[in-house]
Amino acid sequence: MTVLAVDRLVKHFPIHGGLLQRRVGAVKAVDGVNFAIAKGETLGLVGESGCGKSTVGKTILKLIEPTSGRIVLGGEDITALKPGAMWPHRRRIQTIFQDPYSSMNPRLSAGTIVGEPLENFDIARGRERDERVAALFERVGLRPDSMRKYAHEFSGGQRQRLGIAKALSVNPDVIVADEPVSALDVSVQAQVLNLLIDLQEELGLAYLFISHDLAVMRHISHRIAVMYLGRIVELTDKRTLFARPLHPYTEALLSAATAPDPRRQRRKRAIVQGDVPSPAKPPPGCHFHTRCPYAVADCKVKDPPLREVAPGHHVACHLR
Amino acid sequence: MSGNPGAILEVRDLATQFDTLDGVVRAVDGVSFDLERGETLGIVGESGCGKSVTALSILRLIPPETGRIAAGSIRFEGEELTTLSEEAMKRLRGHRISMIFQEPMTSLNPVLTVGTQIAENVVRHMGVSKKAARERAREMLDLVRIADSKRRLDEYPHQLSGGMRQRVMIAMALSCDPQVLIADEPTTALDVTIQAQILDLMLDLKEKTGTAIVLITHDLGVVAETSRRVVVMYAGRKVEEAPVEALFDNPLHPYTRGLMRAIPRLDVDAEEGGRRPRLQEIPGMVPLLTRPIVGCAFAARCSLATERCRAEPPPVVDAGGGHTVACWEVTP
């Protein structure tokens, strides 16, 4: 059952310049993205900085308005909803950030922070709210008596647990998790990843999991979408992605990533040269052609569409 | 004193402390290791383990207002650095020992061109003319594979991408042929494809120049794929040291073992019957470094810990082949 789908999602940020601050161009942060996530599923969105993965997340959460395309949440099109009309839908889609601390009011107790959505959505107040918050604290592995503490009294891993408890408080269907473990040390990262998997299996949550870390992706995702300069270049189940990557960029990413195995010191890495071009001036044709070792003449002029080349395996490349 | 004739750098019982409002922080608490000529030594550990402070101590860059090297010895080519004058240290830094950091933008001067900054270092340490130094700067940019080096010499740091800035830092660090390069999380801020380019470049240049590298990182993957030997640090102490293969094939310290099981694997399909496996968690947290740790620093989180572990500092056990571990309970 699909709980979230996006269809040809586009987000362009205008660039203004000159004396009259006219619009002189656009950063094409998200440039036509399609995917769907089922109940209980994790879709990983992976890519390097500036590929648009976080913008996809923010657009779906309607923190920024899409330029075009459709966002369908639980069967309802929420794309054009104004803030008031969006309100009842917000309960169904929640988010966890890389740094939960920055979104926590330092003058409120942890219990108040986690319980805020319960009041905002008129779900529970007073005693009932406190009981629910205590249960949430317990569920994410925090002591209920720490409800009276302030955010700064918690460690990084504990703050991420607070952020998860807050997101869970309103029983959402979908959680957008943007680099939720990137700032954590590995021993703590393991705790948070285990918690996220447990909660998903227990509650049937759907995750859009945004990260640059391929090892974390391989661990938590069911399917993975690889983004490059605003577009999905490959989308498939994770086993296929790691065993038979088809897009040259996916190949390059997998080859570049390091793994804790000294024998890999002697392997020949397929290293792509150069830097990612600016999303304000993406190359014509296939965005990856400037760094692609296999590029042919067609790649420089024709956009490769995302095609299904095997059941469930989508790739945007002229050569595959 | 000088025990290892192959070593270019010998660190013995190093202790570095900082004064804070909560008391004295024992950031590095009795760490010893050798760096051999031309080798790559990885120092790995989580935040707060003292790996960066170890690097800063070697370069004598601990801010004197708040911190100090409280004990121990650091010998570079047999010369004691802990007691060397600041003038002599200045001649050493950026010349015979140099350093690159995680964020090159904070170490590059934003108002000077790349060429000027590299040449400045060359003039200061090699005493050559400005013209020769500029030529050396161009050579260095070629060496770190920056295309169109002549034009790049006249560019400012903000005109370069993150990967290019790190290349400039490496060019500057290697411009005076150092014997030792200390790299503190050199690729942590970079994207995966750029990280691969920079790691390859560093290892390639090490082959060419024979510079020994101390690579400090939190990333076990980076260590595994670059280092010859590895030091694992926890709470300001060295808990294990081994050749890289031995460490990853047969980690001995409970902390090292815990770390290896806590990381999700990129290179193996870990699913059992379609189910995602659980990662092994290391319970608890790193101890506060403001209080002296009596026994083993890891005892509070260790499943093998006994009364003795909490009471007495662990012995260094020699497992053979250069593999040592500080633990009461592990028998190699």
Side-chain angles (χ1 to χ4, degrees):
Chain A
M1 191 184 75
T2 299
V3 287
L4 174 73
V6 299
D7 179 27
R8 280 165 290 172
L9 189 69
V10 173
K11 179 63 196 179
H12 290 179
F13 294 100
I15 304 169
H16 297 279
L19 190 61
L20 299 170
Q21 289 295 303
R22 282 210 183 93
R23 186 178 162 139
V24 292
V27 175
K28 295 172 179 162
V30 180
D31 204 15
V33 160
N34 303 311
F35 60 77
I37 311 179
K39 184 176 161 66
E41 183 191 37
T42 303
L43 177 71
L45 201 53
V46 71
E48 298 180 287
S49 29
C51 74
K53 56 188 191 299
S54 288
T55 306
V56 169
K58 285 182 190 149
T59 312
I60 290 171
L61 289 160
K62 298 261 287 172
L63 299 175
I64 49 179
E65 292 300 317
T67 306
S68 65
R70 268 173 16 114
I71 306 161
V72 180
L73 179 63
E76 279 178 83
D77 188 336
I78 59 163
T79 323
L81 294 185
K82 296 274 175 287
M86 183 61 202
W87 184 248
H89 298 281
R90 287 214 181 275
R91 192 191 60 74
R92 293 152 64 190
I93 184 160
Q94 291 289 312
T95 180
I96 36 187
F97 306 103
Q98 177 171 350
D99 176 17
Y101 192 51
S102 60
S103 64
M104 290 175 185
N105 186 332
R107 286 179 296 184
L108 297 182
S109 71
T112 309
I113 289 171
V114 170
E116 243 178 351
L118 290 172
E119 295 203 349
N120 291 345
F121 285 100
D122 228 351
I123 296 170
R125 286 181 192 282
R127 272 279 299 262
E128 199 199 333
R129 188 204 64 152
D130 290 348
E131 278 164 18
R132 284 204 188 209
V133 171
L136 284 164
F137 266 59
E138 213 144 358
R139 182 61 203 87
V140 300
L142 293 169
R143 295 156 56 101
D145 60 15
S146 61
M147 281 166 63
R148 283 186 298 273
K149 288 192 187 170
Y150 294 91
H152 71 88
E153 296 177 83
F154 293 86
S155 70
Q158 288 172 330
R159 283 177 200 154
Q160 198 52 281
R161 289 176 195 269
L162 281 178
I164 294 170
K166 181 174 181 174
L168 285 181
S169 64
V170 295
N171 294 322
D173 302 322
V174 184
I175 289 184
V176 176
D178 193 352
E179 303 273 9
V181 297
S182 304
L184 305 175
D185 273 323
V186 277
S187 62
V188 181
Q189 170 180 297
Q191 298 169 7
V192 173
L193 288 175
N194 284 341
L195 175 64
L196 287 172
I197 289 178
D198 290 347
L199 291 171
Q200 180 171 53
E201 289 175 356
E202 197 179 305
L203 305 170
L205 295 164
Y207 291 148
L208 177 65
F209 197 99
I210 299 167
S211 176
H212 71 285
D213 187 327
L214 285 156
V216 167
M217 275 300 178
R218 181 168 201 171
H219 186 76
I220 199 162
S221 305
H222 297 104
R223 289 186 302 138
I224 297 176
V226 180
M227 279 189 81
Y228 187 76
L229 278 177
R231 295 177 183 168
I232 290 176
V233 297
E234 186 159 6
L235 170 62
T236 185
D237 67 278
K238 76 166 155 197
R239 185 162 284 179
T240 310
L241 190 87
F242 282 90
R244 289 187 302 281
L246 286 181
H247 197 282
Y249 178 62
T250 314
E251 206 175 85
L253 265 188
L254 296 184
S255 173
T258 56
D261 178 4
R263 275 151 208 92
R264 287 164 61 102
Q265 282 194 14
R266 287 181 291 274
R267 84 201 147 104
K268 185 97 189 83
R269 284 202 280 210
I271 292 185
V272 289
Q273 297 306 322
D275 290 310
V276 182
S278 158
K281 269 184 281 173
C286 171
H287 288 170
F288 189 58
H289 84 253
T290 53
R291 302 171 80 196
C292 181
Y294 314 112
V296 297
D298 252 6
C299 303
K300 295 176 187 156
V301 286
K302 281 211 303 230
D303 277 0
L306 189 67
R307 289 177 299 124
E308 188 163 8
V309 293
H313 194 165
H314 300 78
V315 62
C317 179
H318 292 306
L319 305 169
R320 303 296 157 109
Chain B
M1 178 81 205
S2 191
N4 183 349
I8 188 158
L9 190 68
E10 292 163 274
V11 177
R12 288 290 172 278
D13 305 315
L14 178 68
T16 305
Q17 304 180 345
F18 293 92
D19 299 318
T20 69
L21 290 175
D22 298 321
V24 175
V25 171
R26 293 163 177 80
V28 178
D29 195 14
V31 165
S32 303
F33 61 86
D34 286 349
L35 175 71
E36 286 176 25
R37 280 171 209 283
E39 80 165 337
T40 303
L41 174 74
I43 300 184
V44 69
E46 297 181 285
S47 24
C49 74
K51 54 193 192 298
S52 292
V53 175
T54 302
L56 293 175
S57 304
I58 294 170
L59 286 155
R60 289 258 311 271
L61 290 173
I62 302 294
E65 308 80 42
T66 55
R68 75 201 83 80
I69 295 175
S73 141
I74 300 166
R75 284 176 169 263
F76 170 69
E77 300 217 89
E79 186 175 22
E80 180 60 50
L81 298 188
T82 52
T83 51
L84 206 61
S85 73
E86 182 53 31
E87 274 313 300
M89 269 316 293
K90 275 186 183 158
R91 284 195 297 274
L92 214 65
R93 278 185 218 122
H95 182 194
R96 291 161 70 204
I97 306 181
S98 55
M99 186 156 180
I100 51 179
F101 300 93
Q102 178 173 341
E103 184 31 77
M105 206 50 196
T106 55
S107 346
L108 289 169
N109 187 332
V111 297
L112 293 180
T113 65
V114 163
T116 309
Q117 295 187 61
I118 302 175
E120 210 176 36
N121 199 41
V122 176
V123 169
R124 182 186 310 137
H125 292 298
M126 316 273 264
V128 298
S129 73
K130 272 193 173 167
K131 193 163 169 246
R134 192 177 154 85
E135 183 49 32
R136 175 73 179 160
R138 200 191 56 72
E139 260 175 51
M140 292 312 294
L141 290 188
D142 283 337
L143 188 70
V144 297
R145 298 181 214 137
I146 288 183
D148 202 359
S149 55
K150 204 159 181 187
R151 182 171 60 87
R152 293 290 185 185
L153 278 179
D154 296 318
E155 292 196 342
Y156 292 88
H158 75 264
Q159 293 172 285
L160 306 174
S161 68
M164 289 258 243
R165 279 181 212 141
Q166 201 56 290
R167 281 171 199 264
V168 168
M169 279 304 296
I170 295 173
M172 196 184 302
L174 296 181
S175 60
C176 300
D177 293 325
Q179 280 98 324
V180 175
L181 173 68
I182 297 175
D184 189 359
E185 303 273 8
T187 59
T188 304
L190 304 174
D191 276 321
V192 201
T193 57
I194 310 299
Q195 163 168 294
Q197 293 172 7
I198 297 294
L199 290 178
D200 263 40
L201 175 69
M202 280 175 56
L203 295 180
D204 218 40
L205 293 179
K206 189 193 71 110
E207 291 302 312
K208 278 188 194 144
T209 59
T211 303
I213 299 178
V214 180
L215 182 74
I216 293 166
T217 177
H218 71 287
D219 188 329
L220 285 168
V222 168
V223 166
E225 293 201 23
T226 55
S227 304
R228 192 173 76 92
R229 285 189 309 126
V230 186
V231 165
V232 182
M233 285 184 71
Y234 183 78
R237 301 173 180 186
K238 179 174 85 171
V239 294
E240 188 161 2
E241 175 175 345
V244 69
E245 274 99 3
L247 189 84
F248 283 86
D249 287 348
N250 185 26
L252 292 176
H253 199 281
Y255 174 65
T256 318
R257 289 182 179 175
L259 271 187
M260 302 234 181
R261 292 191 202 121
I263 40 173
R265 293 294 295 247
L266 170 83
D267 52 335
V268 283
D269 188 353
E271 301 226 320
E272 300 139 8
R275 272 184 72 88
R276 292 165 292 181
R278 290 183 70 79
L279 296 166
Q280 184 172 312
E281 302 174 8
I282 302 177
M285 282 186 298
V286 178
L288 285 177
L289 300 177
T290 41
R291 269 177 249 148
I293 300 165
V294 187
C296 168
F298 190 60
R301 304 174 75 185
C302 181
S303 59
L304 304 177
T306 63
E307 271 317 302
R308 184 169 60 174
C309 300
R310 285 180 272 274
E312 293 174 58
V316 176
V317 180
D318 190 347
H323 193 163
T324 56
V325 56
C327 181
W328 280 114
E329 292 303 311
V330 166
T331 38

